Amino acid sequence: MKILHVIQRYAPAVGGSETWCRQVARHQAACGHQVRVLTLDIVREQEFWEEPLPGALRLGHLDLDGGVEVRRFRRSLPVWTVHHLLFRGLLDRVLNIFFLGPHSRELVAHLPAEVAWADVVHLHTLPYPHNSFALRAARRAGKKVILTPHFHPGHRDYERRHQFRWLRRADAVVVISSHERQALAARGVPAEKVTVTGCGVDAPLACEAERREARAALRARLGLGEQTQLVACVARKTREKGIATLLDATAALLEEGRDVALVLAGPPFDWFAEKLASLPRAVQERVFDLGVIGEEDKR
């Protein structure tokens, strides 16, 4: 079978939906399918709407990843007035349509030919508009469509009526939890279309002795004793991930005299650095930001 995935970013970009898509695509390729991914040449999430920093990593147009053919397209950055007046103003705030990006005119132009090649089209991650363009192209070509929304209930960017229309038009919807399935059903997505798969965490089992040894090594590395209670969070440090709540809770617990520490792993964002810097030094000393870490350290 020829399977086409369309997603906003792909490895080495770090993110939950990006990792999920990669694991699925690699598994399909290992099963003997022809698998192709269309994505943007973006590494950092800030590049959705901003120019990359000088010297930033640029990704090539073609790549082969574990048997998966990856095709990356240039991100089209709209001029400031169009982005803020049209996308953020009229469409977003007045008409409640999420069209902020990231966009790629190059990707959209290639969609008809790419969709014609595929037997099935798998779309990823509301609320990004590549889902709309690819869904239309697939419907015009008469191809089956799977949509994995990675839906965030209650998040304004994901709670748009046009996005639920995309889900209703798809032939199948894949979600990672029963809670997500129930939330979509409450918004009009037929339950019989939805399959729950889980997050797809790929972590080999370890015996208790290995786990104890790994925990002791981490505590020693951070300079913390056995009595310190650790809270860990592996996620991009975006506002909607609840990182600010964890920082405030850590500060409150320390003020109560609790022996706690917060360990964070994931890509940084400017707002996080500002938030952390605003906290008392005693709190900052109990927040450990490991940045982007490898799979072994995650386990």
Side-chain angles (χ1 to χ4, degrees), residues 19 61 89 135 163 167 225 246 265:
T19 300
H61 179 62
L135 178 60
Q163 294 163 359
L167 291 164
L246 286 175

Side-chain angles (χ1 to χ4, degrees), residues 84-272:
H84 287 268
L85 297 181
L86 178 60
F87 291 179
R88 284 192 177 277
L90 177 63
L91 291 178
D92 185 31
R93 296 190 177 94
V94 177
L95 300 180
N96 200 32
I97 296 174
F98 186 99
F99 203 67
L100 298 179
H103 294 281
S104 171
R105 289 189 295 270
E106 187 182 36
L107 186 150
V108 172
H110 281 77
L111 276 173
E114 297 288 352
V115 166
W117 167 85
D119 296 313
V120 62
V121 179
H122 193 154
L123 310 179
H124 298 262
T125 320
L126 297 181
Y128 300 122
H130 66 260
N131 292 289
S132 177
F133 295 119
L135 178 60
R136 292 178 184 179
R139 282 288 171 252
R140 284 195 295 266
K143 302 301 175 75
K144 296 292 185 181
V145 177
I146 302 168
L147 208 165
T148 301
H150 292 280
F151 179 54
H152 292 39
H155 190 302
R156 181 176 181 270
D157 290 345
Y158 292 75
E159 296 279 7
R160 312 291 179 109
R161 285 178 295 180
H162 64 281
Q163 294 163 359
F164 301 133
R165 286 197 296 271
W166 299 344
L167 291 164
R168 288 193 291 268
R169 292 184 64 197
D171 297 287
V173 176
V174 177
V175 299
I176 63 173
S177 69
S178 297
H179 174 67
E180 189 179 358
R181 182 187 191 193
Q182 294 165 3
L184 291 177
R187 291 155 176 80
V189 180
E192 61 271 15
K193 280 190 176 184
V194 183
T195 298
V196 180
T197 64
C199 283
V201 175
D202 184 16
L205 295 176
C207 69
E208 180 59 31
E210 290 173 330
R211 287 197 292 267
R212 285 197 303 268
E213 183 179 340
R215 290 169 183 157
L218 175 63
R219 288 178 181 273
R221 185 168 134 204
L222 300 179
L224 299 173
E226 284 293 328
Q227 74 284 354
T228 302
Q229 294 178 297
L230 290 183
V231 176
C233 178
V234 181
R236 301 187 332 277
K237 298 182 187 74
T238 54
R239 294 180 185 275
E240 68 270 15
K241 295 296 184 181
I243 306 297
T245 303
L246 286 175
L247 291 170
D248 291 340
T250 301
L253 289 169
L254 289 170
E255 189 173 346
E256 291 176 5
R258 299 280 292 275
D259 186 2
V260 299
L262 175 63
V263 183
L264 302 170
F269 287 81
D270 291 341
W271 78 268
F272 167 76

